[in-house]
Amino acid sequence: MHLHGSAATKLLAEIHRLGGLVFRTGWGKICELPVCWCYLRTVDTQPLFQAVDLSTVREEVILNESVDMGAERQLGAYQAVTPELRVQQIEQRLQASRDRLLSHPIYEVIDSVGNLHRFMQSHVFAVWDFMSLLKSLQRQLCGTDVPWLPPQDPVAARLVNEIVLGEETDVDGSGNYRSHFEMYHRAMQRCGAETTRIDAFTDAIRRGLSVEQSLSVCHAPEYVRRFVSHTFEVIAGGDLCAIAAALTFSREDLLPDVFQRIVDSLNSEMRGELDDLRYYLDRHIELDSDEHVVLARQMLTALCGDDAQKWQIAEDVAEAGLQHRIVLWDGMYTAMADELDVVH
């Protein structure tokens, strides 16, 4: 909006009356104002006020800048920043990275059983460290100590326990219960993909080696190491909102429909040897779309509440997680493309 003179003065007076938000001016000066995501523009359209600190805001509002009208009417054109709107804002920021992942050229080279095997041998590490994100949340929210004490946030504790139930002890298609990692590992074995590297990694973890040491012992590719190391940096930071954001936005439904069609096509050629992988994908998608995405977002909302700083942390961590997933996909794609060049 464009305001100057008495209109701008009147608007500032009304903003001050509402009370409670810090803004930064174009000259680095700090002044108190109450409305977030609002900046005033002078006649020459240069920014005058921009928000810098939302941590003390009780109720945030967004002014609608699309209509040029008087200050009195402009003050009425705002909407509350609810947790639902926060989630939408994060989704909007992440959309470009998600689109890049879902249309990644890696799916163009998974055109043979051999390349599917190569994909799974690296992707299995992402399946494994998802569970580490989830269990780190459960450990902090629910506690594992004895003597037992009630959880500080029973809503978040209930939500994370529901997700763990499905991810760690899901029905496995043969009348038993397994984690999704174990289902994926079984699918690798039954379709002929090598599990030597991931087995060496988990064996090293069981022997008490650190994650970094275990990645070195199993000779994980550099792009796998970077991905897993980033996940454990988030976990080590101990910030519940950051961990929940990584779980919620950086892992949900990042295998597109085209991957399922590739698996279905290859499964026909292999006479059902990919049935376990198809079951894993079907179960994973069913739980994510119908249950776990909803639960994870409810949990993130419970943890962040109306704290703008926590929401900003969640947004930044979610974007960083997607960028590291892109690095993982790029690394796998390059490795598979190099293999094709050697063959040809």
Side-chain angles (χ1 to χ4, degrees):
M1 62 184 165
H2 305 281
L3 296 171
H4 57 93
S6 62
T9 302
K10 192 171 183 178
L11 177 60
L12 285 172
E14 180 65 12
I15 285 174
H16 185 72
R17 183 183 68 79
L18 294 172
L21 177 62
V22 179
F23 272 58
R24 184 181 295 278
T25 70
W27 298 277
K29 184 179 178 181
I30 300 298
C31 53
E32 284 196 349
L33 296 174
V35 181
C36 92
W37 304 120
C38 164
Y39 58 82
L40 300 179
R41 293 180 180 273
T42 58
V43 176
D44 61 356
T45 72
Q46 294 301 309
L48 180 60
F49 295 106
Q50 293 179 320
V52 293
D53 183 359
L54 310 180
S55 61
T56 61
V57 180
R58 290 169 298 178
E59 182 181 22
E60 302 162 26
V61 295
I62 299 177
L63 281 180
N64 181 352
E65 300 183 49
S66 63
V67 182
D68 194 345
M69 57 180 66
E72 299 89 342
R73 295 175 62 192
Q74 193 74 22
L75 278 168
Y78 65 82
Q79 59 181 351
V81 181
T82 63
E84 291 75 17
L85 185 57
R86 288 287 191 186
V87 171
Q88 292 175 20
Q89 290 171 343
I90 294 176
E91 288 175 337
Q92 289 172 2
R93 177 179 171 184
L94 301 182
Q95 192 58 54
S97 297
R98 283 183 55 81
D99 289 345
R100 185 176 169 188
L101 278 167
L102 294 174
S103 61
H104 198 282
I106 193 171
Y107 300 110
E108 298 173 6
V109 297
I110 307 178
D111 56 358
S112 66
V113 174
N115 274 346
L116 177 62
H117 288 170
R118 294 182 185 95
F119 175 87
M120 296 179 74
Q121 287 159 197
S122 292
H123 180 238
V124 67
F125 284 88
V127 178
W128 174 83
D129 82 348
F130 171 87
M131 287 302 303
S132 295
L133 277 172
L134 182 58
K135 296 299 285 187
S136 69
L137 273 177
Q138 187 186 41
R139 183 178 61 188
Q140 288 198 60
L141 289 172
C142 305
T144 58
D145 295 331
V146 176
W148 172 85
L149 289 172
Q152 293 184 354
D153 189 335
V155 173
R158 170 61 182 258
L159 293 169
V160 74
N161 277 335
E162 287 192 46
I163 298 173
V164 169
L165 178 65
E167 295 287 347
E168 192 171 39
T169 56
D170 197 12
V171 291
D172 70 352
S174 59
N176 297 308
Y177 299 100
R178 297 174 191 261
S179 67
H180 282 197
F181 168 75
E182 290 169 301
M183 289 187 201
Y184 197 93
H185 186 275
R186 180 184 64 180
M188 291 178 67
Q189 291 178 315
R190 293 191 178 175
C191 76
E194 280 285 344
T195 62
T196 304
R197 184 171 287 154
I198 188 64
D199 290 343
F201 174 77
T202 54
D203 286 346
I205 294 290
R206 287 191 183 93
R207 296 200 309 272
L209 274 65
S210 69
V211 170
E212 289 296 332
Q213 291 170 328
S214 300
L215 288 168
S216 178
V217 165
C218 76
H219 305 293
E222 179 61 26
Y223 47 85
V224 170
R225 294 189 192 195
R226 289 177 62 184
F227 181 82
V228 175
S229 295
H230 170 73
T231 298
F232 276 82
E233 287 173 8
V234 174
I235 292 172
D239 188 297
L240 284 171
C241 292
I243 299 169
L247 185 86
T248 303
F249 295 108
S250 304
R251 302 305 179 92
E252 61 167 22
D253 193 21
L254 293 178
L255 291 175
D257 292 342
V258 66
F259 184 71
Q260 288 182 284
R261 292 195 293 272
I262 291 169
V263 171
D264 287 343
S265 175
L266 292 175
N267 195 39
S268 296
E269 297 177 18
M270 299 176 67
R271 298 181 180 179
E273 290 183 22
L274 296 178
D275 281 348
D276 287 311
L277 180 58
R278 289 182 70 252
Y279 180 83
Y280 165 85
L281 292 172
D282 290 343
R283 192 68 185 138
H284 183 70
I285 291 169
E286 179 183 351
L287 285 175
D288 268 1
S289 61
D290 294 341
E291 299 177 32
H292 290 179
V293 169
V294 175
L295 292 173
R297 293 183 185 191
Q298 290 175 349
M299 178 174 61
L300 182 65
T301 297
L303 291 171
C304 292
D306 60 358
D307 190 317
Q309 186 175 6
K310 290 181 179 179
W311 280 108
Q312 188 61 57
I313 291 170
E315 181 176 326
D316 292 342
V317 169
E319 175 63 23
L322 288 183
Q323 292 302 316
H324 279 82
R325 173 75 71 141
I326 290 171
V327 169
L328 177 64
W329 258 221
D330 287 346
M332 289 193 288
Y333 172 73
T334 300
M336 284 189 274
D338 289 345
E339 288 280 350
L340 288 174
D341 289 341
V342 170
V343 171
H344 294 311

